[in-house]
Amino acid sequence: MSNQTDWAGDYDLFDLAYVADPYPIWDELRASCPVAHTERYGGSWLTTTYEDVTRVARDPSAFSSRNVSVIPPPDGTEAELLPAGLPPIQADPPVHTWTRRLLLPWFSNDRVAAYEEYTRDLCRTLLDGFAASGRADAADDYAKQIPMRVIGKMLGIPEDMSETFIDWVRSVLEYANDAPRRTKAQIESTAYFLEEMEKRRHGSGTDLISELLRCEVGGEHVPDEFVLGTVALILIAGLDTTWSALGSMLWHLANHPDDTRRLVEEPELIPTAIEEMLRAFSPVTMARIATDDVELHGCPVKAGDRVLLGFPAANRDPAAFPDADRVIIDRAVNRHVAFGAGIHRCAGSNLARMELRVALEEWLVRIPTFRLADDNDVAWAGGQVRGPRQLHVVFP
């Protein structure tokens, strides 16, 4: 595991102890040093309370979103490949405003509802592949497969590219501290999308890439660098996050048969349970860049410093949530920030919720009882997005 002991002054989101069990670390920091610091990866601050996380998230003038990675991009490669960044999540107003407006129609309730039948059929097909065998890797065989194919359908990406795209996303997020791997994935994915943009530029496709190429802002077509950045964002933000959230939910249910039994008997409770498990197992940590010198919970944050938004830690803050470390699947009041807060709150939250709901509904119909396999061999990914990558379960 790890010899790490100084979480307040030398934390590491990629440390094996942090990845495996961050909850006691957050408790320790909230009690002794709510805003931790590290010199690793260029240096950053980590907020761990609900109050501090939401304060930073809701103050875009003091905390810029010009780079939201928990680790700075290697050697400026990302800036060269994606000159507009990843709008709207990696943009400040006014660019944030118009780029977000381009995306919102794609994630409206009506648009998301149009993908539900496809998602449900996909879940049933995946379950057909292992339900009779009595065992599965719930992360790899199921949770990973769903968001990639739904996002792929939205982008007009062929299904046989799924594993390639998954590897690119993992390289950028899960292996962000491996600079050569991260850079290689960024180069390859950028080249792919630029080629696809040229293929679709004058076509009549109804996929997101084709539609963005036809969009106009101020009477002019959206510049290519913004189309490229937005498409890259949809892939990165739409895949690993939902995959990790769904895997964590299945991990919890495998460990808590009473919760599983209740959801089977009361399927109408699934949406409420999803919100609670999103709170308890929030996958995403984001970054902001301080625009000026500022004091944050007594800490002297300097202009240009990277400040990490510990959304997962905020959602476990006992000052904001009674019984914060308990998963209460019928929790009535739940102002979690798993999808962020402020102007950058996740634009794709409707899509994620639909995928999670349908995936759990279909799983529980086919596999109403399940548990971790005897080897209990669960592997977690950390860094920007935390979730199980290997989750062996068995069932009757």
Side-chain angles (χ1 to χ4, degrees):
M1 293 295 288
S2 167
N3 295 319
Q4 174 71 296
T5 57
D6 183 16
W7 296 106
D10 187 31
Y11 68 82
D12 182 359
L13 270 60
F14 294 86
D15 184 276
L16 294 180
Y18 184 95
V19 172
D21 188 16
Y23 311 111
I25 296 169
W26 297 333
D27 290 343
E28 174 190 327
L29 290 175
R30 277 192 230 97
S32 62
C33 183
V35 180
H37 185 264
T38 189
E39 292 296 336
R40 296 173 186 266
Y41 313 121
S44 62
W45 302 86
L46 173 65
T47 53
T48 59
T49 69
Y50 190 91
E51 181 181 1
D52 288 337
V53 169
T54 54
R55 172 195 164 185
V56 172
R58 290 172 175 150
D59 191 354
S61 61
F63 299 97
S64 169
S65 294
R66 65 179 181 268
N67 191 286
V68 299
S69 299
V70 297
I71 294 180
D75 303 323
T77 303
E78 189 173 285
E80 294 174 10
L81 294 171
L82 298 168
L86 300 171
I89 202 170
Q90 201 166 289
D92 296 320
V95 172
H96 166 269
T97 306
W98 67 260
T99 53
R100 184 179 174 90
R101 193 175 295 133
L102 290 178
L103 276 183
L104 287 179
W106 283 84
F107 299 102
S108 67
N109 287 324
D110 287 346
R111 200 72 173 256
V112 166
Y115 288 100
E116 181 164 336
E117 182 179 358
Y118 171 82
T119 305
R120 198 171 296 279
D121 288 344
L122 169 61
C123 291
R124 290 171 177 171
T125 299
L126 293 170
L127 287 161
D128 285 343
F130 56 77
S133 69
R135 63 187 304 113
D137 184 335
D140 195 64
D141 297 336
Y142 194 65
K144 179 177 81 171
Q145 306 299 328
I146 296 163
M148 180 62 250
R149 284 164 172 75
V150 174
I151 291 295
K153 185 173 179 62
M154 182 178 287
L155 294 175
I157 296 169
E159 282 200 8
D160 61 12
M161 287 285 293
S162 292
E163 289 300 324
T164 299
F165 277 86
I166 288 168
D167 181 68
W168 284 342
V169 172
R170 293 186 72 182
S171 297
V172 170
L173 297 177
E174 184 178 339
Y175 298 99
N177 57 345
D178 182 341
R181 178 170 177 170
R182 180 178 177 180
T183 299
K184 180 175 181 288
Q186 289 174 328
I187 291 171
E188 291 176 353
S189 58
T190 300
Y192 175 85
F193 280 127
L194 286 172
E195 182 178 345
E196 288 301 304
M197 286 165 59
E198 286 309 309
K199 288 179 182 177
R200 306 181 199 193
R201 188 177 303 279
H202 302 295
S204 56
T206 57
D207 59 274
L208 178 57
I209 298 174
S210 298
E211 293 279 2
L212 286 175
L213 288 168
R214 289 194 288 269
C215 282
E216 294 185 355
V217 174
E220 301 286 341
H221 282 295
V222 174
D224 278 5
E225 60 266 30
F226 286 93
V227 175
L228 174 64
T230 301
V231 170
L233 169 66
I234 296 300
L235 178 70
I236 294 170
L239 198 168
D240 203 354
T241 52
T242 307
W243 166 18
S244 296
L246 178 56
S248 296
M249 292 176 188
L250 291 170
W251 173 80
H252 171 79
L253 294 175
N255 281 292
H256 295 83
D258 288 346
D259 284 350
T260 306
R261 189 177 307 112
R262 188 171 178 195
L263 294 183
V264 169
E265 294 172 355
E266 303 175 55
E268 67 277 7
L269 187 59
I270 288 176
T272 302
I274 285 172
E275 297 304 313
E276 173 64 349
M277 289 188 284
L278 280 170
R279 180 197 68 81
F281 308 114
S282 306
V284 181
T285 300
M286 300 293 282
R288 297 289 187 267
I289 307 298
T291 57
D292 259 315
D293 293 356
V294 63
E295 187 175 283
L296 190 57
H297 216 113
C299 296
V301 177
K302 302 297 183 184
D305 282 2
R306 189 173 299 269
V307 179
L308 305 191
L309 296 168
F311 291 118
N315 282 332
R316 290 280 187 139
D317 186 349
F321 301 95
D323 295 310
D325 282 331
R326 285 184 58 213
V327 177
I328 304 169
I329 59 171
D330 59 358
R331 187 183 291 267
V333 179
N334 194 346
R335 297 180 63 190
H336 70 73
V337 286
F339 290 116
I343 65 171
H344 287 282
R345 189 182 178 284
C346 177
S349 60
N350 289 336
L351 180 66
R353 284 186 168 109
M354 182 277 288
E355 292 176 271
L356 294 169
R357 174 178 55 79
V358 170
L360 285 185
E361 287 172 352
E362 293 302 325
W363 178 283
L364 292 173
V365 165
R366 293 288 292 279
I367 306 175
T369 60
F370 62 103
R371 60 175 174 82
L372 293 181
D374 292 337
D375 59 14
N376 195 20
D377 189 14
V378 180
W380 294 82
Q384 190 108 29
V385 182
R386 179 179 180 268
R389 291 295 171 266
Q390 179 177 287
L391 181 60
H392 293 143
V393 296
V394 292
F395 38 86

